[in-house]
Amino acid sequence: MTRRIGVLGGYGAVGSAAVRLLAARFDGIVRVGGRDGKRAEAAADALAAGEAAEVDLWDDAALAAFCRDCAVVVHAGGPSYQVVDRVARAAFAAGADYVDAGGDLPLYERLAGTERRAVVTAGMMPGLSGLLPRWLAARTGPVGRLETYAGVLDRLTPAGAVDYLLSLGGRDAESQAVWQDGRRVTRSAAPQVDVRLPFFPGVVSAFPYLGYEPERLAQQLAIPDVRWYSVFDGGAAMMSTLARLQGAMSGEGDLAAAAAELAEAAELDMFGREPYQRMVFTAHPADGSAPSTLVAGSRDTSVLTGTVCGLAALQVLSGAVVPGRAFAAEALDAETLVADLRETDALSVFELLTEAAELREASEEGVL
């Protein structure tokens, strides 16, 4: 029997990248689903082995039909805060495993007790941002201190803008927090405003926070100290818009209108500039030896997220992921994912720097 992987939202910015990856690496049928049947057909017709499905994820019968006969269902469309576990439950009912490009803690918590394979936050951040430090730690040995700087200058999709707003709303408890001496320490790190950081172009600002991903990373790898920074590049329009959208961040008011306003601000900040995504991880070995820095980046957030999502689906299909719910950063085989990811065009930079001279030279050149 021919195997199928279904990608819901398969013609969108993230889903189309997952579909392209699967079309190149999967020897079965890729089912492309979405509300617009014509767009789904166009996307499926471009594949050697594709099929289209017109499906509204809020239509129980249509969603069940989409999941039927799929070995894995990938969700790459719709705001996570609305969808939560709706698609996952339909996949499980059809006997399929599940991969979600987003979801975060709410979805992870909803999937407690499942016996199917379910991988959540299989995207760039969170996701790849938690997996790459594990890849790095496998090369350095036990880590005594980890510093991470992650920044994005890119456009926002409508669903991405909604999820971004809500993620910021949960940052109060995380803002300026660090992992120090094996525990969370709140309000202990100051922002770095209008500074030049290695491997980031121009002047940026870095805001420390400790979300669930770095905290779980610190606990699981027994790293005593973790400093995690979100980097903002310019962003005058976005920053001023965010200051007006405090209610939307907490789920109040018209989220769709707020998301549209934020997406427009992001577009203004992009004027005359090239998009980029950059993640810089510096691991200081526990034995006091020289630190190693991993610099990874892309020119398209959606392409990188969708590519990671597609690779996650292949690992689930292969049986490399154990049954049960899991975050992508913790469930996926880091060596395999990084090796496969580097064979795609989703990364514009991937450099491991281990010597002081290498770090200085690469920082001066921007590694690009």
Side-chain angles (χ1 to χ4, degrees):
M1 181 177 176
T2 303
R3 296 184 301 176
R4 284 176 173 79
I5 294 179
V7 182
L8 189 60
Y11 50 75
V14 172
S16 60
V19 166
R20 285 194 299 273
L21 184 284
L22 292 170
R25 293 174 176 256
F26 175 51
D27 61 1
I29 295 173
V30 179
R31 179 177 289 168
V32 181
R35 285 185 297 179
D36 190 327
K38 291 184 178 179
R39 291 184 67 186
E41 277 189 30
D45 288 347
L47 309 178
E51 61 183 26
E54 183 174 337
V55 52
D56 185 331
L57 65 84
W58 303 109
D59 182 324
D60 291 344
L63 185 56
F66 174 79
C67 295
R68 191 174 300 128
D69 299 327
C70 287
V72 181
V73 170
V74 175
H75 178 230
S80 296
Y81 87 101
Q82 289 181 326
V83 178
V84 198
D85 62 340
R86 180 173 176 78
V87 179
R89 295 299 176 188
F92 298 159
D97 292 324
Y98 183 70
V99 174
D100 200 309
D104 290 303
L105 278 172
L107 176 56
Y108 179 80
E109 292 169 353
R110 289 277 189 97
L111 299 184
T114 182
E115 296 180 358
R116 302 297 316 183
R117 291 176 174 87
V119 176
V120 304
T121 59
M124 187 181 91
M125 289 190 294
L128 189 62
S129 53
L131 182 140
L132 290 179
R134 289 171 165 82
W135 183 91
L136 179 59
R139 282 150 179 77
T140 64
V143 177
R145 178 185 172 95
L146 175 69
E147 297 168 356
T148 297
Y149 291 86
V152 174
L153 179 69
D154 205 349
R155 295 170 176 84
L156 283 170
T157 64
V162 170
D163 285 337
Y164 182 67
L165 276 171
L166 293 175
S167 73
L168 291 178
R171 284 278 177 91
D172 285 345
E174 303 171 353
S175 180
Q176 299 184 33
V178 301
W179 189 259
Q180 186 173 328
D181 297 326
R183 63 185 180 88
R184 170 185 286 268
V185 180
T186 59
R187 302 291 177 181
S188 63
Q192 302 174 36
V193 180
D194 295 338
V195 297
R196 290 187 178 273
L197 294 175
F199 314 111
F200 285 88
V203 175
V204 298
S205 294
F207 296 88
Y209 75 99
L210 190 72
Y212 74 86
E213 185 176 59
E215 183 166 352
R216 291 174 66 94
L217 175 71
Q219 293 172 332
Q220 293 167 4
L221 270 61
I223 304 175
D225 291 272
V226 173
R227 308 296 169 106
W228 204 274
Y229 292 86
S230 183
V231 178
F232 289 86
D233 185 337
M238 268 193 72
M239 295 298 279
S240 61
T241 300
L242 285 170
R244 298 195 306 272
L245 299 178
Q246 297 299 314
M249 289 182 196
S250 58
E252 301 171 1
D254 188 340
L255 264 175
E261 186 177 350
L262 187 63
E264 183 178 352
E267 189 74 28
L268 287 172
D269 285 334
M270 282 292 303
F271 183 75
R273 302 193 63 186
E274 291 294 321
Y276 75 84
Q277 299 73 37
R278 193 70 44 82
M279 294 180 284
V280 181
F281 309 92
T282 299
H284 300 261
D287 63 8
S289 55
S292 296
T293 294
L294 173 63
V295 185
S298 173
R299 295 189 179 90
D300 192 306
T301 306
S302 297
V303 168
L304 183 54
T305 292
T307 302
V308 170
C309 201
L311 291 173
L314 293 179
Q315 286 202 24
V316 168
L317 188 69
S318 73
V321 175
V322 300
R325 61 170 185 179
F327 291 109
E330 302 166 13
L332 303 179
D333 183 88
E335 290 293 329
T336 300
L337 189 131
V338 169
D340 289 344
L341 186 59
R342 295 183 72 181
E343 291 178 357
T344 73
D345 61 359
L347 290 173
S348 59
V349 57
F350 189 91
E351 295 285 344
L352 177 60
L353 309 164
T354 57
E355 300 292 339
E358 286 181 334
L359 291 170
R360 284 195 301 271
E361 181 179 354
S363 178
E364 291 167 0
E365 295 178 356
V367 196
L368 294 176

